[in-house]
Amino acid sequence: MTELKGLNTAVKVPPLGAEGAGIYIHIPFCKQACHYCDFHFSTTMGKKEAMVLALCKELELRKDEFAGIMVETIYFGGGTPSVLDTEEIAQLIATVYTNYYIAEHPEITLEANPDDLTPKKILELAKSPVNRLSIGIQSFFDEDLKLMNRAHSANEAIASLSLATRHFDNISIDLIYGMPNMSAERWKANIEKALSFNIPHISSYVLTVEPKTALYDFVKKGLVKPAPDEVAQAHFDILNETLTRAGYACYEISSFGKPGYFSKNNSAYWQQKKYIGIGPSAHSFDGQRRGWNINNNPKYIRALNNGELPMEVEVLSTTDKYNEYVMTGLRTVWGVSLDRVAREFGIKYKEYLILQADKYINEHLLFTDGDLLLATNKGKFLADGIAADLFIVKMK
């Protein structure tokens, strides 16, 4: 057995030919609430130590779910995982290594905000088992960051990348487009600034107005006017064209990576590999069932202290699994396999899919390549809506 960088825990060698899977750890804390965010988090840090212990306990209680399965990715999401001390991050990773079989070179990603990435923090992380950073830049313009209520400034975004790129090779950043009053020129400037750091992976999302967020209230009161759909579409086209020319592949609608730098965590999700979600509000998937944890920090901690799993589980029907496969597959370069649909769900599902897809093929939003159904460049931005029209409510 070998030892992992920064840990004293010996690695458990996975069985030969073990199936690959991932572990997602949700860190439900943020310094302040972004106006657009509807993820589960708390701005009160008083329960952070108790939360880390509860997360470790859930990891221990759920190890049998991955008996004989090899963990290829560990992903710290949130919330803001970078609010954790490096010792707390190491404690959680050590708990994974103690209880699960781990691939020889797992991808271990930490989501981080620029204001947390001080020189000291980056050096500590570089010495830790974390080997990939996902930095929430969102924009290089203070005007955008203030509208979003981000905790960092444009200068902090630039400083964090300048330092992080000296110590980490595998870095992803988040950028948001479709911002109110964001011109095509400012969006291009955001992309060009990102490219100037030679970042190998960029995740980019359209700004959406989610219920129960501050942004939703601002829009409802007329204080903020959302960007029209055609503007967001134009921003996506600029993004796709610019990054493609720069050598990135759009392997999933919101994910652009250089060769060798596709996110293993993201790819596993879109290819429907198994994963365990640890922490309040985290979701899990094993191919047959989907589970989700309670989205309440005190109740989550209390349940784990009592040795209970605060999780609900839904057994997926054949139609549920078909719908999920269409939704995930259509967003990616791997597409939707018509043969797989027939094999796993039944010939009626394949016939329905072909029939429903025909109009989108005629509109040049979808196309077929051998066995695969894929979105065209024109159809990528609309893929979620198209997929919903390919869903089956109930198979007759």
Side-chain angles (χ1 to χ4, degrees):
M1 293 193 293
T2 58
E3 291 191 356
L4 189 71
K5 179 179 68 170
L7 292 182
N8 295 320
T9 302
V11 177
K12 293 176 66 177
V13 179
L16 190 64
E19 179 184 359
I23 292 178
Y24 171 85
I25 303 175
H26 187 78
I27 308 302
F29 299 108
C30 289
K31 290 178 179 177
Q32 63 189 50
C34 296
H35 287 158
Y36 58 86
C37 182
D38 68 341
F39 292 161
H40 171 69
F41 66 91
S42 170
T43 54
T44 302
M45 302 285 179
K47 297 287 185 180
K48 187 159 71 83
E49 183 177 343
M51 178 61 69
V52 171
L53 293 175
L55 294 171
C56 289
K57 183 65 175 180
E58 186 182 0
L59 283 165
E60 293 168 3
L61 290 176
R62 298 184 66 183
K63 63 183 179 182
D64 290 344
E65 294 179 34
F66 272 12
I69 292 176
M70 178 177 61
V71 174
E72 297 174 321
T73 64
I74 303 170
Y75 191 98
F76 289 87
T80 311
S82 54
V83 301
L84 294 183
D85 299 331
T86 49
E87 292 82 3
E88 293 169 328
I89 296 168
Q91 181 182 355
L92 287 163
I93 295 174
T95 303
V96 174
Y97 269 81
T98 300
N99 291 281
Y100 298 82
Y101 294 111
I102 311 298
E104 186 176 357
H105 299 292
E107 177 187 87
I108 304 179
T109 302
L110 181 84
E111 289 184 355
N113 276 356
D115 49 298
D116 291 326
L117 293 178
T118 62
K120 179 175 182 290
K121 186 67 167 278
I122 289 178
L123 286 173
E124 289 176 350
L125 288 172
K127 295 176 183 177
S128 81
V130 172
N131 52 32
R132 183 174 184 270
L133 293 180
S134 177
I135 305 176
I137 300 294
Q138 314 308 355
S139 176
F140 290 100
F141 290 89
D142 283 326
E143 179 182 346
D144 298 331
L145 297 172
K146 288 175 182 176
L147 176 63
M148 291 185 271
N149 199 40
R150 296 291 293 172
H152 69 277
S153 67
N155 284 337
E156 285 176 313
I158 293 168
S160 70
L161 284 177
S162 298
L163 191 58
T165 50
R166 296 179 204 168
H167 299 279
F168 282 86
D169 170 60
N170 199 350
I171 295 176
S172 176
I173 68 169
D174 289 351
L175 292 176
I176 291 181
Y177 61 91
M179 292 283 297
N181 303 317
M182 176 184 276
S183 65
E185 288 69 28
R186 190 158 92 228
W187 177 230
K188 289 177 185 176
N190 260 317
I191 301 170
E192 292 300 332
K193 176 60 73 171
L195 291 176
S196 72
F197 288 98
N198 198 29
I199 301 298
H201 190 278
I202 295 174
S203 294
S204 193
Y205 310 91
V206 64
L207 181 69
T208 54
V209 182
E210 301 290 352
K212 299 180 181 179
T213 63
L215 181 59
Y216 178 85
D217 290 336
F218 295 157
V219 171
K220 194 174 180 181
K221 294 174 182 176
L223 300 175
V224 172
K225 186 177 181 180
D229 289 344
E230 55 269 23
V231 170
Q233 169 81 68
H235 286 178
F236 176 79
D237 292 342
I238 291 169
L239 174 74
N240 194 23
E241 292 165 10
T242 305
L243 293 186
T244 299
R245 283 199 306 269
Y248 294 77
C250 180
Y251 65 97
E252 184 273 324
I253 292 171
S254 58
S255 305
F256 297 79
K258 289 187 175 180
Y261 288 95
F262 291 8
S263 167
K264 292 179 181 178
N265 175 81
N266 293 7
S267 298
Y269 172 79
W270 297 115
Q271 293 178 303
Q272 295 191 303
K273 289 189 177 183
K274 296 179 180 179
Y275 59 90
I276 287 178
I278 302 295
S281 81
H283 283 231
S284 302
F285 174 75
D286 67 2
Q288 303 300 322
R289 303 178 303 165
R290 185 169 297 285
W292 56 94
N293 288 348
I294 191 170
N295 62 348
N296 180 292
N297 288 5
K299 290 182 179 179
Y300 172 83
I301 293 170
R302 187 159 55 247
L304 269 301
N305 286 344
N306 292 330
E308 302 169 357
L309 290 175
M311 179 173 63
E312 292 185 48
V313 176
E314 171 192 17
V315 177
L316 300 174
S317 67
T318 300
T319 298
D320 291 333
K321 287 184 276 189
Y322 161 84
N323 289 344
E324 289 208 6
Y325 176 53
V326 171
M327 172 61 82
T328 55
L330 209 58
R331 291 179 62 97
T332 73
V333 294
W334 302 291
V336 176
S337 166
L338 299 175
D339 288 344
R340 177 179 169 182
V341 169
R343 184 175 64 252
E344 294 189 10
F345 312 119
I347 191 65
K348 287 186 177 180
Y349 286 84
K350 178 181 177 180
E351 292 171 349
Y352 175 86
L353 177 58
I354 292 172
L355 181 65
Q356 289 295 104
D358 188 59
K359 62 181 177 182
Y360 295 109
I361 293 173
N362 291 334
E363 294 172 4
H364 305 291
L365 298 174
L366 298 179
F367 72 101
T368 55
D369 182 5
D371 166 54
L372 299 178
L373 180 68
L374 303 119
T376 64
N377 279 334
K378 182 180 176 183
K380 284 179 181 177
F381 184 73
L382 305 170
D384 285 349
I386 294 171
D389 196 36
L390 304 181
F391 286 175
I392 293 173
V393 177
K394 187 177 181 180
M395 176 56 73
K396 296 180 181 179

